[in-house]
Amino acid sequence: MSRRVWVAGASQVCPALTPDAEPVDFKAELGRKGLRYKDEATKLALCATRDALEAAGLWTAAADNPDPDGLAVIVASNTGNIDTICKCMDELRDEGHRGLSPLDLPNASSNIISSSIAIRFGARSVNLLVSSGSASGIDALVWGARLIRARRARRVLVVGVEVRNRYTERLLGGDDAAALPPAHGAACVVLEDDEVAQARSVRPRVALGTHAVSLDERSDLAHFASLADGGRIQGWWTPPRARPEVRRRLEAFEATGQTPEIVDLSARIGEPLGLLGVLQAAAATHSVGDVWQTRALLTAGGYWSGALTSLLLEEPA
Amino acid sequence: MSRDQVITGTAMRTAVGRTRDETFEALCRGHSGLAPLVAFPEASLKSRHGYEILDREPPDHDRTGRASEWLVEVISAALGDAGLDGASEQWPVLVGTGLRESRSVELWWREGFALVPAQTDFAGAVRAGVRQAGQVHTFTNACSASSFALGLAEDILASGESEIVIVAGADAITETMHGLADRANPATSSALRPFDTDRQGVLLGEGAAALVLESRAHAERRGARVRGVLRGVGLNCDAGHETAPDREQVGRAMRMSHERAGIRAEEIDLVLAHGTGTALNDDNEANALSDVFGEHVGHFLVTATKSMTGHTSGASGLMGVITALACFEHRRVPPTVGLDNPLAAARNLDLVTESARQCAPRLAQVDAFGFGGVNAVAIVEAPKP
């Protein structure tokens, strides 16, 4: 049996889920220092991460992160720095090389999101940006669990973040009839090794369970069967069911005979890409052990070349 | 840690060679891919040079998806090299990249080229072009991306999740990154000169590399030729500054790699340096080597092939690994060209300069450090003779 990996804390900063809320005031949330040249994706990710660390009891006014060398960061993002690339391209073509600002150099590297999180919260273990398309968020959670099981990290900050702006609206819209407007927001879950949680006398409720990947429709039945084997699934968080190809693949779930409550976050936030899996995990963490008692299934991907990818969150007996 | 993970197939394509063997031969001859950039408009360029792959026809006629094309090409070649091109199984593909298909995004935004969201990562292209490709993961992790991918592949194999993992890296030069790197260089750079006192900064290169990482048991069962052994990859993050490297953390990544490999520093006989020709990296890397190797610092060879391939961004770490295996096989280490006067911090290193060195290295350290302080150091060993 592999080591248990807990969700020690979770949070999201996703304006579409709280429509009446004021726009995020990053300076008030994070302080002025170090924010001036950060892009929108990085600022959203920093807010979500700070909140998740606080929820995990690992970030307080009194003490910084207690274990920098054991803290890893994995960010799932596909649209993060499209704005910087396009803006710099306009500057180059309109004004020539003198039009560029060297201050944009850090943001031109997509992993500015993950490295900025590492810098602010003192995370010196593995640092990764996953941009594998529509399944990136669940992939990031699975990679996080692997890092803990391989003993490369004791805790992992898993973050999903995507942004809506004029560039991503055009890129994701295109000629795609099923396209949703891009989602805008970030989510973070703090994964923690079992022994480490025990050592600080914390008993989180939710652990990561089995995961499954199917590359095409032929393996979808086996995919869902393997996940449904463990017992009753009370909640199922799905990829965008507005997409016909996704709906078709999700039909394979019916064969399990299970009838969970279904939540399609994309109907509320738009095209979620890498944000989805992590946002599902953050939302489901608050439901498992509360509304749903024991088990939630997260599913992402299945379109735009992304594999259909699922992960169980459960409250161990 | 173990000798249970072996590399059974390798391939790369760079500005100096269409294949791995062509590239290694060119590197050993000291042949550089440096040339005037062909596809970007004059007005975009301060420094006019780079290390491009000349595959546009006519040369200034750009197209989308070049990095994806090279990626499919090298993965196919690596599978062929491993004798797996006829296999019916599918394995995970871990791709490390600094810039993804950002050149395609630039062409889409500014020149009206067609682009769909799926083309911004590599899954679609690799799955369409390589029958053995299972789930494709794209790690956008700056200039150490493919070495991070190698470290994660090590973990997948160690956990028993898969017996084979395909690891790759690919990067095409983007107009914006060329421009921004150029803005940050202290002078208009006309060549990438690692560890030289007169270095003028980084210039980008492009290309792709791939290898097949396999459990030794699986490789032995099918009678595969072993090109090298992956002993371990150390991964960490400075968590200090977005673009300036940290001597202590870079040294820590080196020590982690030795620890994971179960070796002492003095057993290393070859270092493929990150060596980017920038003011910050080269001093820092040389200092970290001195910190970690102490009195043994002059006892191993050091070379920096970016002096001929340019800085191939996220693909560069894996190119270093594949070059190290070629050094084992051919008993030669390519020189660092353009290195005339080593900077003070590097004077105690045994840098290979001018021409290739005949030798028989057995254990190599491959450095890769990226923006954001992402450090990855890989240790590879020659196969048993």
Side-chain angles (χ1 to χ4, degrees):
Chain A
M1 184 62 195
S2 56
R3 305 170 75 79
R4 181 161 283 159
V5 174
W6 295 103
V7 176
S11 186
Q12 52 86 10
V13 179
C14 202
L17 292 177
T18 44
D20 297 332
E22 299 284 311
V24 186
D25 180 348
F26 292 116
K27 283 179 189 152
E29 289 289 325
L30 298 163
R32 278 166 196 276
K33 190 167 170 287
L35 278 196
R36 194 159 167 209
Y37 301 108
K38 295 293 182 204
D39 61 21
E40 180 79 4
T42 302
K43 288 188 279 197
L44 286 165
L46 288 171
C47 283
T49 306
R50 194 268 325 270
D51 293 350
L53 274 168
E54 282 181 359
L58 291 166
W59 192 259
T60 62
D64 285 357
N65 157 30
D67 179 21
D69 289 350
L71 184 63
V73 179
I74 304 184
V75 174
S77 183
N78 296 276
T79 58
N81 76 338
I82 300 281
D83 53 354
T84 300
I85 295 168
C86 296
K87 180 183 79 84
C88 289
M89 193 65 180
D90 283 341
E91 289 166 357
L92 263 179
R93 291 298 178 94
D94 294 340
E95 302 161 54
H97 61 84
R98 285 181 194 83
L100 286 177
S101 163
L103 297 170
D104 280 321
L105 179 59
N107 291 343
S109 195
S110 310
N111 72 327
I112 186 67
I113 308 169
S114 34
S115 58
S116 298
I117 293 170
I119 291 166
R120 182 164 286 250
F121 301 107
R124 291 196 191 130
S125 178
V126 174
N127 192 275
L128 269 185
L129 186 102
V130 181
S131 34
S132 311
S134 53
S136 303
I138 287 184
D139 285 345
L141 291 161
V142 173
W143 284 114
R146 286 194 185 106
L147 288 182
I148 288 175
R149 292 187 176 125
R151 296 180 186 265
R152 285 197 192 266
R154 290 176 282 272
R155 296 188 185 96
V156 185
L157 303 171
V158 181
V159 178
V161 57
E162 302 289 359
V163 285
R164 183 190 299 192
N165 51 49
R166 66 192 181 105
Y167 312 102
T168 60
E169 276 174 355
R170 203 166 115 192
L171 179 64
L172 301 194
D175 301 328
D176 186 344
L180 299 165
H184 189 79
C188 174
V189 302
V190 183
L191 301 183
E192 187 167 33
D193 175 66
D194 189 32
E195 279 175 20
V196 176
Q198 284 181 28
R200 67 180 181 113
S201 305
V202 172
R203 175 76 166 83
R205 287 180 311 185
V206 180
L208 301 196
T210 317
H211 111 276
V213 176
S214 50
L215 298 171
D216 53 47
E217 294 176 25
R218 285 171 300 177
S219 41
D220 288 347
L221 278 174
H223 176 111
F224 289 118
S226 72
L227 297 157
D229 267 359
R232 186 167 163 239
I233 295 164
Q234 279 115 331
W236 182 25
W237 306 72
T238 70
R241 293 192 305 157
R243 306 197 69 86
E245 70 271 40
V246 169
R247 273 202 307 280
R248 205 167 53 241
R249 296 193 64 172
L250 298 185
E251 282 168 13
F253 185 83
E254 284 170 25
T256 65
Q258 298 223 23
T259 52
E261 186 182 331
I262 290 175
V263 187
D264 178 356
L265 287 168
S266 72
R268 296 173 63 190
I269 64 169
E271 172 47 57
L273 279 172
L275 168 61
L276 186 65
V278 188
L279 183 62
Q280 288 172 332
T285 295
H286 297 297
S287 304
V288 173
D290 182 9
V291 189
W292 287 339
Q293 308 293 320
T294 57
R295 192 172 282 109
L297 174 62
L298 320 179
T299 302
Y303 61 104
W304 288 349
S305 309
L308 189 75
T309 308
S310 295
L311 176 68
L312 281 170
L313 287 190
E314 51 202 7
E315 182 176 26
Chain B
M1 192 157 110
S2 81
R3 294 184 170 82
D4 296 339
Q5 300 194 0
V6 296
I7 295 161
T8 52
T10 62
M12 64 175 152
R13 179 170 182 184
T14 65
V16 298
R18 176 83 197 232
T19 64
R20 173 197 66 207
D21 293 346
E22 255 184 53
T23 295
F24 189 69
E25 280 309 309
L27 295 177
C28 286
R29 283 201 316 275
H31 172 68
S32 167
L34 183 66
L37 293 164
V38 295
F40 302 157
E42 286 262 322
S44 291
L45 305 171
K46 178 164 69 103
S47 154
R48 293 172 187 278
H49 289 80
Y51 302 73
E52 281 178 304
I53 288 181
L54 302 174
D55 65 347
R56 297 173 175 103
E57 195 53 54
D60 59 350
H61 188 82
D62 214 340
R63 65 179 186 280
T64 56
R66 287 168 71 240
S68 299
E69 290 171 22
W70 307 326
L71 187 61
V72 168
E73 185 180 313
V74 295
I75 290 173
S76 303
L79 284 166
D81 190 46
L84 293 168
D85 39 346
S88 56
E89 297 99 314
Q90 292 180 318
W91 300 291
V93 182
L94 277 53
V95 184
T97 180
L99 301 165
R100 299 191 273 167
E101 274 292 357
S102 296
R103 178 58 184 159
S104 299
V105 172
E106 293 178 349
L107 291 171
W108 159 78
W109 178 249
R110 213 36 218 224
E111 297 195 9
F113 283 65
L115 189 76
V116 298
Q119 288 171 296
T120 60
D121 68 77
F122 295 115
V126 173
R127 294 265 293 134
V130 183
R131 206 175 55 238
Q132 292 82 4
Q135 194 180 10
V136 179
H137 302 271
T138 301
F139 299 108
T140 311
N141 233 42
C143 302
S144 51
S146 58
S147 293
F148 266 82
L150 185 64
L152 299 176
E154 181 194 352
D155 297 348
I156 292 191
L157 225 56
S159 73
E161 252 186 88
S162 182
E163 297 236 70
I164 289 181
V165 182
I166 299 161
V167 188
D171 266 300
I173 301 176
T174 67
E175 203 170 320
T176 52
M177 188 52 91
H178 172 82
L180 288 164
D182 211 16
R183 282 293 259 122
N185 285 338
T188 300
S189 188
S190 56
L192 192 161
R193 299 175 62 187
F195 300 110
D196 195 274
T197 44
D198 297 325
R199 65 197 185 286
Q200 298 159 315
V202 73
L203 286 174
L204 297 179
E206 52 191 16
L211 61 78
V212 175
L213 185 69
E214 186 167 359
S215 75
R216 184 183 288 279
H218 192 271
E220 281 175 357
R221 271 202 305 280
R222 65 182 190 91
R225 175 196 48 206
V226 171
R227 289 205 170 274
V229 181
L230 178 66
R231 294 292 298 268
V233 187
L235 304 173
N236 77 345
C237 179
D238 294 350
H241 189 274
E242 285 89 347
T243 53
D246 179 310
R247 174 173 175 172
E248 191 185 323
Q249 292 304 320
V250 163
R252 184 174 146 248
M254 292 178 187
R255 290 192 179 96
M256 281 169 78
S257 73
H258 300 165
E259 197 176 307
R260 293 185 74 88
I263 59 161
R264 296 183 313 277
E266 57 265 36
E267 292 178 65
I268 297 283
D269 39 30
L270 172 65
V271 170
L272 276 289
H274 187 57
T276 53
T278 57
L280 289 173
N281 175 78
D282 293 2
D283 257 311
N284 191 68
E285 186 174 13
N287 283 326
L289 285 168
S290 291
D291 294 346
V292 171
F293 287 83
E295 58 182 296
H296 304 286
V297 77
H299 299 171
F300 51 86
L301 300 182
V302 180
T303 195
T305 53
K306 289 186 182 70
S307 57
M308 293 170 277
T309 62
H311 191 347
T312 50
S313 189
S316 68
L318 213 60
M319 286 177 179
V321 167
I322 292 168
T323 302
L325 301 192
C327 293
F328 298 154
E329 183 184 348
H330 301 287
R331 297 171 175 250
R332 270 184 299 165
V333 172
T336 307
V337 305
L339 173 47
D340 302 327
N341 299 302
L343 50 95
R347 277 184 200 138
N348 52 0
L349 297 173
D350 187 359
L351 288 154
V352 182
T353 57
E354 293 176 15
S355 59
R357 190 94 62 94
Q358 303 286 332
C359 57
R362 304 268 325 145
L363 200 57
Q365 169 180 321
V366 182
D367 292 350
F369 314 120
F371 269 3
V374 285
N375 309 313
V377 179
I379 306 295
V380 286
E381 186 180 18
K384 292 266 176 298

